[in-house]
Amino acid sequence: MRERRGEPVRVTILDIARATGVSKSSVSRFLDDRSPSNSEAARLVRRVATELGYVRDVSAANLRRGSTGTIGVIVPRLTDTVMAMLYESLARAAGRADRFTIVATSNDEPAANQRAVDMLLARGVDGLVLATTRIGDGLADKLAAQGVRFVLALRTDGVHPSSVGDDALGGYLAARHLIDLGHQRIGVIAGPADTSSAVSRVEGYRRAMEEAGLVVQPEWIVPSTFGLDAGHLAARELMTLASPPTAIFAINDNTAMGALSALAQLGVSVPGDISVVGYNDIPIVSHLPTPLTTVRTPFDQIATAAVNLLLDSHDPVEPIVRTAPTLIPRQSTRRL
């Protein structure tokens, strides 16, 4: 910044051109990170730009290119560690593509989702990443009809471009782990029935049970939200059954922690009396008094694929990218 009459004035490309004797167009080219040059003139321009305190006007450059260089991200809430981890991964992936992310939260409410979409589009974002999709909510169809560039992340409607974990595989890995430990009565804290992630994880659990020749009793599958309190209530419900489960697969780590709380209050030992498996591998679960066995969601890979799908100018050959999760065994499960 220069000073004019005591007020700071932005250093421009024209100022650098005058100071170096290099044409304005060449200065612009030499300062563009996308086309680096190591010529003597380019080195001179960059040195003088640094000395003068030049700061690139990204908004003006993007305006010339017909874009803002920003990606809008909509998540239910950032107090949910899973969504915070996804957003951080998206921000890193966008940064590698020379983009910036801005986030809006919707509390998983359809009307708030639409408001968030409208707000971000009004600010000129180049595209949207939605982590709020619920089965049958129609928002993705509406955006597609309007020609809005978007991609779904963590959840999918099965139709539009999506980057998700292979949740069916993750549910299978969780149940298979418990079956291999000798468990046959495996309860499930199942999550919401209108989210693809929860539905697919339960499908994976069912496949593992069927492969093992185990019949799933309807009362073993308890619907819930993704929250701690829901996990607490669901675990209590499972433990009131005439033949309680010897293991619980919780649809995410929050519900697993809620279940651990309920089991502790009931005097049920984990893993002495019952084994528990969660999902996502949020940082806290490895530091619990009984570290939680869980399925790790590959957030960075999901985010990278989401950004690639969003920025790809061609229609994807495979609109839904699924990235494999990993089972992380810890101390909350043991052989029956």
Side-chain angles (χ1 to χ4, degrees):
M1 303 291 282
R2 296 174 291 122
E3 291 217 356
R4 182 181 296 159
R5 295 180 181 177
E7 296 181 358
V9 178
R10 179 181 290 274
V11 175
T12 68
I13 286 175
L14 183 58
D15 295 321
I16 299 170
R18 288 169 177 160
T20 60
V22 176
S23 70
K24 182 179 176 182
S25 60
S26 294
V27 169
S28 178
R29 187 172 69 256
F30 293 151
L31 294 176
D32 190 338
D33 293 335
R34 299 175 305 160
S35 53
S37 171
N38 198 37
S39 68
E40 183 177 347
R43 292 195 299 272
L44 171 65
V45 164
R46 287 194 288 269
R47 179 174 59 78
V48 170
T50 300
E51 291 173 354
L52 294 179
Y54 171 76
V55 177
R56 185 166 174 245
D57 189 343
V58 176
S59 62
N62 285 332
L63 185 61
R64 290 192 297 272
R65 297 171 193 154
S67 74
T68 61
T70 57
I71 295 172
V73 180
I74 304 176
V75 299
R77 58 192 66 82
L78 286 173
T79 52
D80 182 332
T81 305
V82 168
M83 293 299 168
M85 292 174 71
L86 173 67
Y87 179 68
E88 289 179 356
S89 293
L90 286 167
R92 287 192 292 270
R96 291 192 294 270
D98 198 26
R99 300 296 198 281
F100 182 77
T101 55
I102 54 177
V103 65
T105 59
S106 68
N107 203 35
D108 242 348
E109 297 173 355
N113 282 336
Q114 184 62 62
R115 286 196 299 272
V117 165
D118 294 341
M119 177 193 72
L120 291 170
L121 292 179
R123 282 157 177 77
V125 296
D126 296 334
L128 297 170
V129 179
L130 308 179
T132 54
T133 300
R134 288 185 175 269
I135 297 169
D137 68 8
L139 179 56
D141 289 333
K142 182 178 179 181
L143 292 175
Q146 294 172 341
V148 175
R149 291 196 65 83
F150 71 93
V151 65
L152 311 179
L154 286 188
R155 306 176 189 176
T156 179
D157 61 1
V159 177
H160 296 99
S162 310
S163 177
V164 296
D166 191 335
D167 293 300
L169 173 60
Y172 177 89
L173 293 174
R176 187 73 250 178
H177 171 69
L178 293 169
I179 293 167
D180 290 344
L181 291 175
H183 297 277
Q184 297 185 2
R185 297 197 310 275
I186 302 173
V188 179
I189 302 174
D194 59 355
T195 59
S196 65
S197 53
V199 170
S200 295
R201 291 169 196 176
V202 174
E203 287 176 353
Y205 153 85
R206 287 185 179 276
R207 179 162 67 88
M209 296 290 278
E210 182 180 349
E211 281 186 6
L214 300 173
V215 178
V216 176
Q217 302 301 320
E219 62 269 22
W220 292 355
I221 300 179
V222 181
S224 70
T225 67
F226 286 123
L228 285 161
D229 291 343
H232 185 102
L233 293 172
R236 281 185 167 274
E237 182 175 337
L238 287 168
M239 298 311 293
T240 63
L241 298 176
S243 296
T246 62
I248 293 175
F249 167 40
I251 213 67
N252 69 353
D253 289 338
N254 278 343
T255 54
M257 289 189 290
L260 292 174
S261 170
L263 295 169
Q265 290 180 6
L266 294 170
V268 178
S269 170
V270 176
D273 300 320
I274 190 168
S275 290
V276 177
V277 177
Y279 204 109
N280 287 317
D281 196 29
I282 63 176
I284 192 174
V285 299
S286 64
H287 300 285
L288 296 172
T290 302
L292 183 69
T293 295
T294 189
V295 177
R296 178 174 294 164
T297 296
F299 292 105
D300 283 340
Q301 294 94 316
I302 290 171
T304 298
V307 171
N308 289 342
L309 281 170
L310 185 66
L311 299 181
D312 191 348
S313 58
H314 303 94
D315 290 335
V317 175
E318 176 53 63
I320 302 175
V321 178
R322 290 184 171 86
T323 307
T326 308
L327 179 76
I328 309 296
R330 294 195 182 101
Q331 284 71 58
S332 66
T333 54
R334 75 175 183 98
R335 186 166 296 280
L336 189 61

